[in-house]
Amino acid sequence: MTQVTNHYLSWIDEDKELHCELLHTENNTINIGRSDKADIEVFNTSVSRQHIELSWDNDCLKIKDLNSSFGTWVENVRIVAGKYKTLKEDTEIRLGNLSMWYELRRGDESQEMMQTCFHTPKATDEVEISSEINGFILKLKALLQENFGNNTVNVELINNINEELLELVSVQERRLKEQRILNSISHVLNRSLTLCELLKTSLNLVSKVLNAERGFVVLRNQNGNNQKNDLYEILTSRHFDDICWPKDNEALQKFSQILVNRCFDENKIVIVGDIQLMDSLKDIEDIKRGGGRSIAVIPLVQDSIVIGVIYLDNQQRAHNFNTEQIPFLTTYAAHTSIALHNTLLYKRAITDDLTQLFSRQHIDEGLALEIQQVQDNQQELSILMLDLDYFKQVNDNYGHTTGDLVLQAFSNIIKEHISDCDMAGRIGGEEFVVILTDTDLNGAKDIAERIRLATEKEEIIKDEQVIQITVSIGATSYDKKKHGSKTLLLLEDADIALYQAKEKGRNQTVCFS
């Protein structure tokens, strides 16, 4: 029998949920974009309203970029707008900064790519066997009948063999699906993701596979002090409301700190089938008060050291997690740990250690990319140059350790007042740059003033002394005729405006003109 093959497109949207779309071959073309008029609507600011078009050619899928604002990449190669490119099986597609993956699946596989493969088979479930195994069974039956006849013992033997083969086929099918899911998870996690995106995506994927209702990821906080509770930080959660790592070990929580600590200490997957059957966990709330009933805790390991833990639970079902899942979870955790390691390495390479803002090199690269995009799309782009006033006096009067505290406090103020699509970096001792995408000069001045006023109100306390700081800011906007593709010219204009702010008495914003 000919096996039906279906085409699927899957992605993680801005809601951080996994979306999976069946592509119907009877549709001549399929438009994808950030518009309710598109055949497939996605929610991502880097995706154009009409971004790409998919079409069929002899059951092969082709892709064409519809002159989108931020471009389309296939396997990390940007495609030429307006020209079709044939897609291969298991191909990554990137629309702006939104990654999708295209894959082929058998017709008998669920449309939900991450549907659990660990469900208990029902008596009514039919096991589909391949023509090769079916042929083997028929030959075996014929051989047994030829040598032993149709006596009762022979019939029972044939039935037993048949049941064993069907069970073997069922197990192999489940293992095959596990491998397909792990392959898909690995494909997703090894994309270019930020730390929070990576952990949230990983948590969402494994939750769907294991039918977990809730979960969170906790990492060791490298900035914590020597107290054990301060070493842990919950970076992302799923369906846990207002969750944070508690300071009070005595207070009951909706999750078990004991299990998390055991996972960190022992580097082992911990599975609790039914919390109601355990008397040793005294730190978790009753199910009616928000605790989980079935729990799985998974270590994330680097160089034999547990750096993080994934905590999953199900409040309704007992034994939702079991030991049969451990081989799958072990491989899944390895994929996540590798992706996490790569993400942390990349983050360290592009960020300033003290402020956790971007480095000068990464800011230069990011600004060059933004200029290229606004040249193509005629969008607005502005930058701010910021310099703390009289910072040398802070170092001279209070010491460099206090100066570091001031820089960290000011960096946090910048982060609080810019959006996720903007970039902020430290380019000198007390000098900073902010790249404001899709923002004109008036908008840039508004943001600069909010940062300036918040800085003016900030108080840093050191040895019972209150230290107050101010900042001078220069703002400018990109002009295609003047700046062209030269980042240095744009930075120079912002620097001139900053110098004027200093000359006029500091603690103010000046726009370049």
Side-chain angles (χ1 to χ4, degrees), residues 184-452:
S184 296
I185 288 177
S186 177
H187 187 82
V188 177
L189 296 184
N190 282 285
R191 298 177 293 133
S192 297
L193 296 173
T194 65
L195 178 62
C196 287
E197 286 174 337
L198 168 69
L199 297 177
K200 184 173 283 290
T201 300
S202 177
L203 178 62
N204 282 336
L205 293 178
V206 75
S207 296
K208 289 179 179 293
V209 175
L210 299 185
N211 193 32
E213 291 182 330
R214 305 182 303 181
F216 63 84
V217 183
V218 56
L219 294 187
R220 289 191 187 274
N221 185 357
Q222 301 300 321
N223 296 323
N225 57 31
N226 293 327
Q227 296 180 8
K228 195 166 187 178
N229 284 340
D230 290 329
L231 291 175
Y232 296 154
E233 180 182 10
I234 294 177
L235 292 186
T236 187
S237 64
R238 181 176 185 266
H239 299 162
F240 267 106
D241 297 329
D242 300 324
I243 187 173
C244 61
W245 192 259
K247 302 294 183 181
D248 184 5
N249 281 331
E250 303 300 324
L252 294 179
Q253 305 294 331
K254 294 179 180 179
F255 66 93
S256 172
Q257 284 182 270
I258 293 175
L259 291 180
V260 174
N261 288 328
R262 185 190 304 173
C263 191
F264 267 109
D265 294 339
E266 299 180 2
N267 188 10
K268 291 181 180 179
I269 295 173
V270 181
I271 289 179
V272 177
D274 191 347
I275 201 74
Q276 293 179 327
L277 302 179
M278 291 190 66
D279 296 327
S280 58
L281 292 179
K282 303 294 186 181
D283 67 332
I284 188 170
E285 290 276 15
D286 182 80
I287 297 172
K288 295 179 180 179
R289 297 178 180 271
R293 185 170 185 181
S294 185
I295 302 171
V297 189
I298 310 152
L300 301 176
V301 182
Q302 288 180 14
D303 299 326
S304 301
I305 299 174
V306 181
I307 64 166
V309 163
I310 297 177
Y311 185 101
L312 305 171
D313 75 8
N314 191 300
Q315 293 180 284
Q316 308 299 323
R317 295 178 55 186
H319 304 289
N320 184 71
F321 312 107
N322 56 69
T323 54
E324 290 183 4
Q325 300 166 356
I326 289 180
F328 171 87
L329 289 175
T330 301
T331 308
Y332 155 79
H335 284 310
T336 302
S337 297
I338 292 171
L340 176 60
H341 179 64
N342 293 336
T343 300
L344 290 174
L345 283 178
Y346 180 68
K347 182 182 177 183
R348 292 190 190 109
I350 65 172
T351 55
D352 172 63
D353 289 338
L354 178 64
T355 63
Q356 294 303 299
L357 297 178
F358 288 121
S359 65
R360 174 64 188 261
Q361 180 180 352
H362 191 66
I363 282 290
D364 288 341
E365 293 172 354
L367 183 57
L369 181 60
E370 291 297 334
I371 288 178
Q372 180 182 345
Q373 291 177 344
V374 298
Q375 282 180 321
D376 296 336
N377 308 313
Q378 298 182 347
Q379 293 178 326
E380 299 285 353
L381 174 67
S382 298
I383 65 171
L384 305 178
M385 189 82 75
L386 311 93
D387 190 273
L388 290 174
D389 299 325
Y390 304 113
F391 181 72
K392 184 176 183 300
Q393 294 181 11
V394 174
N395 282 333
D396 292 344
N397 295 334
Y398 303 101
H400 288 277
T401 301
T402 303
D404 289 347
L405 292 177
V406 169
L407 292 173
Q408 289 172 335
F410 179 63
S411 300
N412 290 333
I413 291 173
I414 293 177
K415 294 174 191 175
E416 291 170 2
H417 289 84
I418 63 175
S419 66
D420 292 338
C421 58
D422 299 329
M423 293 179 65
R426 182 186 179 197
I427 61 172
E430 67 272 20
E431 196 168 10
F432 301 79
V433 166
V434 175
I435 303 173
L436 301 170
T437 58
D438 202 17
T439 304
D440 62 14
L441 190 57
N442 288 331
K445 184 177 181 180
D446 289 341
I447 295 172
E449 279 297 286
R450 288 198 290 269
I451 293 174
R452 186 185 67 81

Side-chain angles (χ1 to χ4, degrees), residues 24-115:
H24 297 281
T25 55
E26 61 267 23
N27 296 338
N28 292 330
T29 60
I30 302 170
N31 289 313
I32 301 176
R34 188 168 46 87
S35 168
D36 55 4
K37 295 181 180 179
D39 298 314
I40 299 177
E41 182 182 8
V42 296
F43 301 95
N44 187 293
T45 55
S46 68
V47 176
S48 299
R49 295 182 64 80
Q50 295 291 328
H51 199 108
I52 62 171
E53 178 183 277
L54 302 176
S55 65
W56 304 98
D57 184 9
N58 296 325
D59 207 33
C60 290
L61 190 61
K62 291 191 172 184
I63 182 173
K64 179 173 70 173
D65 181 271
L66 300 175
N67 294 305
S68 63
S69 298
F70 295 100
T72 304
W73 283 257
V74 175
E75 295 295 337
N76 292 322
V77 177
R78 185 167 184 169
I79 64 176
V80 179
K83 293 186 178 181
Y84 280 109
K85 179 179 179 61
T86 302
L87 292 175
K88 298 179 182 179
E89 180 182 358
D90 292 327
T91 298
E92 181 185 9
I93 306 167
R94 182 155 56 87
L95 282 58
N97 60 20
L98 173 69
S99 288
M100 296 179 157
W101 59 102
Y102 162 66
E103 64 176 340
L104 304 180
R105 274 181 267 153
R106 297 201 321 263
D108 61 343
E109 289 188 282
S110 167
Q111 178 173 342
E112 177 56 70
M113 180 183 69
M114 297 301 169
Q115 185 184 30

